């Protein structure tokens, strides 16, 4: 595992702030009617994407979930092409054909957000198969939620990866809800990582609000995969500060304000910022300057997206097949 | 030593044609691998993959757990990262287990990603009734697949087409589902020894005729050929079109035939209601309405699961006798 240098700490923080500001603005744009369709945002879960992706290069692959913007940003996605995709513009990563739920960029190894819960796991296993087939030390990461751990795809992917000893890490972002159903009502276990034992792989639980903890646990699992020792199930306990979809969602009364506020006291960005301040690795002024510069990046990216053209209607049937 | 002339006329069974195609395409393309349940160690339960493990080794011939979602999902991820997976779904009925991977992942990824993903996946599977395998090992579910933009679907009837379509499917950069037929495994036919492709999307005239066009899918081509011999005795000269590829469908060849014969019948083993015959009949009436002397006839299985009892199963399946009876009605004989 790469030693946790000050440079890496700084990069982790930048990554988390970029995700937070991207998502906050995406939420506003959706509320203003500028982004069509559903939008599942990553606010509250930033430490996981940042901590895992810090170990990866463009050659490593990930598969994502409904909640994929943070994963793509951390994997090297550019804000302008991402906003353009959320707007459905032709300049977006998917030429406006996929939107938020299918956002992808194969060039940086991001094999797509996915509209089907759990479907990314077997696909990541396939990417890991490629890595082994080609005798590389690349790894594939499958992000998924507590809800997805009840899908058959999770179980088949876990078993297949373990028995074929493939270089994949299954990263569970346990935010306590499968859509609107609390974990206690959708599975009879507390730790999704317990399921690893059933497949003969290590299961690790980590505080998903602490980016350094995620970084360290992910580093061990990824090292293990790169060395050919097989998959790991890494469960990160986290929380989504926004609703399942949208900022305020559909107004369902399924969790209390008190619960949300309790989790917000453990905001991963606040926790990490305080750590960096305490360690004198950053000043308030540094943090403010960084936020300003990222705000400018966000504004420029939104402007790019707004000014980009819609796909021409003649592209409707393009890319169904390749010739 | 056989000379070139006898080699051309070499006849081998359908199962051996598939096996030879698998070997030759894996030899030719080193980014291919074979994945599925019992495909390596025992060479496939139908024998279609015999010898592949010995020839290509365990890195390219992989036995998986019984895990269809995992198999097809793995293929999607492997293809998206540059490999050319050949996966086996032992019985077509098992597609139900991995239908998300087929429908929502494999078929759509390229489009959803704005053309960024290329998925050269071949899914080989075995359809059809006639072996008392009952309701969950005997279906013809091609209608599920032809309805999905992004997929190509082929259904070879002859040994020649089984090998040639398989090789073309693997070389194609789109996901292709190859539906073989289990009752055809022993049927012999001419198959060249060398590697060759039967182009996807091109139908074949299995028999030329002037009085009636029968579009027959998969093994039903043989039933139609048998029926045509009986009809010939009644002075009815039947033309048989074997589409070979169901998606994309070679509408032109069918329409040209119907314009010549003025009468059309579609025969498939799948349940008639909602089967591909409805689509073909609709295309014929859209494009050749003025040429038709009678409504397009459709023969398929009745609206029932496939029964186990051999007698019931025979009653269930379309066959030459049913085709002859329907043809007589159509031609008012």
């Amino acid at each position: 595992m790469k030693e946790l240098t000050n440079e890496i700490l700084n990069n982790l923080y930048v990554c988390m702030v970029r995700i937070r500001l991207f998502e906050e603005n995406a939420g506003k744009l959706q509320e203003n009617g500028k982004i069509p369709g559903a939008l599942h945002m990553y606010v509250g879960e930033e430490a996981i994407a940042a901590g895992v992706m810090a170990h990866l290069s463009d050659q490593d692959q990930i598969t994502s979930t409904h909640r994929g913007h943070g994963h793509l940003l951390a994997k090297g996605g550019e804000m302008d092409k991402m906003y353009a995709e959320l707007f459905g513009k032709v300049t977006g990563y998917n030429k406006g054909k996929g939107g938020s739920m299918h956002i992808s960029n194969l060039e940086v190894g991001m094999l797509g957000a996915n509209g089907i819960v759990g479907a990314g796991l077997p696909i990541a296993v396939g990417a890991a198969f490629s890595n082994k087939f080609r005798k590389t030390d690349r790894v594939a990461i499958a992000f998924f939620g507590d809800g997805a751990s009840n899908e058959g795809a999770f179980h088949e992917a876990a078993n297949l990866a373990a028995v074929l000893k493939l270089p994949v890490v299954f990263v569970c972002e346990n935010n306590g809800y499968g859509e609107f159903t609390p974990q206690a009502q959708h599975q009879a276990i507390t730790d999704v990582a317990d399921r690893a034992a059933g497949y003969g792989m290590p299961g690790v639980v980590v505080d998903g609000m602490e980016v350094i903890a995620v970084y360290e646990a992910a580093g061990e699992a990824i090292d293990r995969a790169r060395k050919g020792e097989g998959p790991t199930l890494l469960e990160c306990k986290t929380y989504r500060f926004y609703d399942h979809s949208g900022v305020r969602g559909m107004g369902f009364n399924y969790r209390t304000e008190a619960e949300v506020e309790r989790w917000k006291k453990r905001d991963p960005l606040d926790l990490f910022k305080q750590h960096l301040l305490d360690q004198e690795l950053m000043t308030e002024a540094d943090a403010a300057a960084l936020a300003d510069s990222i705000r400018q990046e966000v504004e420029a990216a939104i402007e790019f997206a707004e000014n980009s053209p819609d796909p021409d209607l003649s592209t409707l049937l393009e890319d169904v097949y390749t010739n | 030593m056989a000379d070139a002339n006898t080699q051309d006329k070499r006849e081998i069974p359908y199962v051996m044609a598939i096996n030879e195609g698998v070997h030759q395409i894996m030899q030719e393309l080193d980014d291919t691998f074979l994945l599925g349940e019992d495909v390596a160690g025992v060479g496939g339960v139908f024998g279609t993959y015999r010898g592949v493990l010995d020839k290509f080794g365990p890195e390219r011939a992989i036995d998986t757990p019984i895990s269809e979602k995992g198999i097809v999902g793995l293929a999607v991820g492997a293809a998206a990262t540059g490999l050319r997976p050949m996966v086996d779904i032992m019985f077509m009925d098992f597609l139900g287990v991995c239908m998300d991977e087929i429908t929502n992942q494999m078929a759509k990824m390229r489009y959803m990603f704005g053309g960024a993903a290329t998925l050269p996946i071949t899914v080989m599977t075995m359809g059809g009734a006639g072996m008392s395998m009952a309701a969950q090992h005997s279906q013809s579910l091609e209608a599920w697949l032809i309805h999905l933009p992004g997929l190509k679907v082929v259904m070879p009837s002859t040994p020649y087409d089984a090998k040639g379509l398989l090789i073309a499917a693997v070389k194609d950069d789109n996901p292709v589902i190859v539906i073989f037929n289990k009752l055809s495994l022993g049927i012999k036919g001419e198959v060249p020894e060398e590697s060759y492709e039967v182009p996807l999307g091109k139908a074949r005239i299995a028999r030329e005729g002037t009085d009636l066009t029968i579009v027959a899918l998969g093994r039903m081509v043989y039933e139609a050929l048998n029926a045509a011999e009986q009809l010939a005795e009644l002075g009815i000269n039947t033309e048989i079109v074997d589409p070979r590829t169901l998606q994309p469908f070679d509408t032109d060849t069918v329409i040209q035939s119907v314009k010549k014969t003025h009468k059309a019948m579609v025969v498939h083993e799948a349940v008639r209601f909602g089967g591909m015959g409805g689509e073909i009949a609709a295309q014929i009436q859209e494009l050749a309405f003025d040429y038709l002397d009678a409504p397009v006839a459709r023969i398929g299985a009745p609206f029932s699961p496939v029964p186990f009892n051999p007698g019931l199963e025979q009653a269930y399946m379309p066959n030459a006798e049913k085709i002859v009876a329907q043809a007589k009605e159509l031609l008012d004989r």
Side-chain angles (χ1 to χ4, degrees), chain A residues 5-17:
Chain A
T5 60
N6 290 348
E7 187 191 350
I8 291 174
L9 288 167
N10 184 64
N11 290 344
L12 290 171
Y13 186 71
V14 171
C15 181
M16 290 170 69
V17 178

Side-chain angles (χ1 to χ4, degrees), chain A residues 215-227:
Chain A
Y215 176 88
E216 287 175 346
E220 279 182 33
I222 289 167
D223 279 357
R224 209 174 152 265
R226 286 200 203 283
K227 283 189 282 189

Side-chain angles (χ1 to χ4, degrees), chain B residues 164-187:
Chain B
L165 284 171
L166 172 65
I167 289 173
V170 177
K171 287 188 175 177
D172 197 282
D173 281 340
N174 297 285
V176 185
I177 316 278
V178 182
I179 306 166
F180 296 119
N181 180 274
K182 61 178 81 73
L183 209 55
S184 303
L185 290 167
I187 292 178

Side-chain angles (χ1 to χ4, degrees), chain B residues 123-135:
Chain B
V123 177
M124 298 170 282
T125 192
M126 202 63 75
M131 296 174 77
S132 277
M133 296 294 286

Side-chain angles (χ1 to χ4, degrees), chain B residues 49-127:
Chain B
Y49 310 117
R50 201 155 290 162
V52 173
L53 175 65
D54 286 344
K55 189 162 178 192
F56 299 102
E59 283 162 8
R60 292 182 66 199
I62 300 111
D63 279 329
T64 66
I66 299 171
S67 194
E68 287 81 7
K69 292 175 76 66
I71 293 166
V72 179
L74 189 158
V76 172
T81 51
L83 297 183
R84 195 170 287 270
M86 298 165 61
V87 306
D88 180 75
I89 298 296
M90 195 183 294
F91 288 86
M92 185 171 206
D93 316 67
F94 304 170
L95 288 176
V97 187
C98 52
M99 208 54 185
D100 176 62
E101 282 63 34
I102 303 259
T103 306
N104 289 316
Q105 314 302 328
M106 182 190 287
K108 294 177 175 55
M109 187 183 270
R110 179 175 182 80
Y111 189 83
M112 293 191 302
F113 288 8
T118 300
L119 300 177
I121 302 167
T122 304
V123 177
M124 298 170 282
T125 192
M126 202 63 75

Side-chain angles (χ1 to χ4, degrees), chain A residues 19 29 47 92 103 126 133 163 172 174 185 189-190 196 200 209-210 212 251 262 268 289 292 307 309 317 319-320 322:
Chain A
I19 296 171
L29 289 162
I103 200 161
F133 188 90
V163 75
C172 179
N174 181 351
Q185 286 177 35
I189 54 172
T190 307
M209 305 312 250
E210 292 273 7
I212 293 175
R262 194 163 65 245
D292 275 347
N307 293 334
L317 302 182
D319 297 323
V320 179
T322 179

Side-chain angles (χ1 to χ4, degrees), chain A residues 96-303:
Chain A
K97 296 267 185 79
S100 168
M101 261 192 290
H102 307 296
I103 200 161
S104 63
N105 178 11
L106 299 188
E107 286 174 17
V108 298
M110 201 293 200
L111 307 185
N114 210 306
I116 304 298
V117 173
L121 286 97
I123 296 174
V125 170
F129 179 90
S130 278
N131 298 339
K132 187 175 179 183
F133 188 90
R134 293 205 160 99
K135 301 182 171 33
T136 68
D137 70 347
R138 298 172 190 167
V139 297
I141 311 288
F143 290 96
F144 66 103
D146 48 305
S149 73
N150 300 323
E151 288 277 10
F154 161 82
H155 297 274
E156 296 203 17
N159 184 56
L160 201 50
V163 75
L164 297 178
K165 224 172 181 187
L166 297 177
V168 59
V169 180
F170 300 106
V171 178
C172 179
E173 301 174 320
N174 181 351
N175 64 19
Y177 290 87
E179 200 175 47
F180 303 107
T181 300
Q183 189 192 0
Q185 286 177 35
H186 75 60
Q187 52 192 196
I189 54 172
T190 307
D191 295 333
V192 173
D194 288 352
R195 293 192 167 168
Y199 302 104
M201 72 173 87
V204 180
V205 180
V206 68
D207 182 350
M209 305 312 250
E210 292 273 7
V211 68
I212 293 175
V214 173
Y215 176 88
E216 287 175 346
E220 279 182 33
I222 289 167
D223 279 357
R224 209 174 152 265
R226 286 200 203 283
K227 283 189 282 189
E229 292 170 17
T232 301
L233 172 49
L234 173 62
E235 177 184 8
C236 307
K237 306 280 194 187
T238 187
Y239 198 77
R240 56 176 198 237
F241 291 175
Y242 289 178
D243 212 321
H244 166 64
S245 177
V247 178
R248 280 181 288 276
M250 300 166 80
F252 297 139
N253 187 25
Y254 66 97
R255 60 182 190 179
T256 63
E257 272 306 310
E259 180 185 293
V260 177
E261 289 311 313
R262 194 163 65 245
W263 276 94
K264 281 186 175 172
K265 288 194 179 107
R266 302 205 65 243
D267 183 324
L269 210 50
D270 292 347
L271 293 177
F272 191 40
K273 182 181 169 187
Q274 196 56 52
H275 174 81
L276 296 176
L277 293 172
D278 291 348
Q279 299 292 309
E280 297 183 349
L281 293 168
M282 186 174 73
T283 64
E284 284 285 2
D286 294 337
L290 176 70
D292 275 347
S293 110
I294 293 173
R295 274 192 202 97
Q296 283 172 28
E297 183 189 1
V298 167
E299 280 167 25
I302 292 170
E303 195 181 329

